[in-house]
Amino acid sequence: GAGVSQTPSNKVTEKGKYVELRCDPISGHTALYWYRQSLGQGPEFLIYFQGTGAADDSGLPNDRFFAVRPEGSVSTLKIQRTERGDSAVYLCASSSGTNRLEQYFGPGTRLTVT
Amino acid sequence: GEDVEQSLFLSVREGDSSVINCTYTDSSSTYLYWYKQEPGAGLQLLTYIFSNMDMKQDQRLTVLLNKKDKHLSLRIADTQTGDSAIYFCADAYSSASKIIFGSGTRLSIRP
């Protein structure tokens, strides 16, 4: 496909469990971003990768949240000891190295923590 | 801190023009964006404008920027039912590493 894909589309987990959310960026895009969107709000920045390294992780709310991008393509957002307040839609976006201005978003993963 | 504010709702009649307004607080913002989000769909980049521009037009869309007042607007000409969505105003620094979004304006179209 041509767009950003995210899996799973929905994830329901119990409080205290560990979850992984996956993002496949547009092929060839070197920059990758994670955002979180709570109900009725705009997306909130979490972390930005340029290649394999996290260039800006200032939006990660606490140390339960971690993201990796080991080969500079697919990225995984990992949340430990989930809390009900983590329930949100997690959005991934990517942009090309030559035009970071245009971020293209995936459909998101809806995470529900019960 | 950085903040982007927009009104929550706008209702317009089909065929009229819609004007969605936004204010931002950070004078260092270099890029200002409009994104569209339809139910069950991802965010779609509509357009963006550099902070050294006053206006940008793209088909039915016109973006106006008043940098002095830190005010951004999106005008949609000849609004159609397919324009029903939530519209997000957003800004970014020159590095464009992260985008700061407003809470969105829900645009509804009445016949």
Side-chain angles (χ1 to χ4, degrees), chain A residues 87-104:
Chain A
S87 296
V89 176
Y90 288 81
L91 298 168
C92 177
S94 70
S95 64
S96 73
T98 53
N99 186 3
R100 286 216 308 273
L101 298 180
E102 298 185 11
Q103 294 186 19
Y104 295 92

Side-chain angles (χ1 to χ4, degrees), chain B residues 3-17:
Chain B
D3 199 15
V4 177
E5 295 189 356
Q6 3 179 181
S7 54
L8 293 180
F9 300 100
L10 177 66
S11 176
V12 299
R13 189 174 301 159
E14 187 175 2
D16 287 352
S17 291

Side-chain angles (χ1 to χ4, degrees), chain B residues 20-109:
Chain B
I20 303 171
N21 295 299
C22 166
T23 58
Y24 60 99
T25 58
D26 196 333
S27 57
S28 300
S29 297
T30 305
Y31 309 109
L32 296 125
Y33 298 83
W34 286 102
Y35 276 84
K36 177 183 181 182
Q37 189 173 43
E38 296 178 88
L43 280 163
Q44 176 192 353
L45 175 62
L46 285 177
T47 187
Y48 59 90
I49 189 170
F50 295 95
S51 60
N52 61 358
M53 297 169 64
D54 298 324
M55 186 184 86
K56 181 178 180 181
Q57 186 152 5
D58 184 1
Q59 299 182 331
R60 291 191 298 124
L61 305 180
T62 303
V63 178
L64 294 177
L65 174 61
N66 181 328
K67 194 174 180 182
K68 174 176 170 290
D69 295 337
K70 301 191 190 69
H71 182 268
L72 184 75
S73 67
L74 174 69
R75 178 178 179 269
I76 305 172
D78 187 25
T79 309
Q80 301 299 308
T81 54
D83 295 323
S84 292
I86 300 175
Y87 290 81
F88 290 95
C89 172
D91 68 357
Y93 292 144
S94 58
S95 64
S97 61
K98 65 181 177 182
I99 297 178
I100 307 299
F101 287 86
S103 297
T105 298
R106 183 180 296 275
L107 176 64
S108 63
I109 315 303

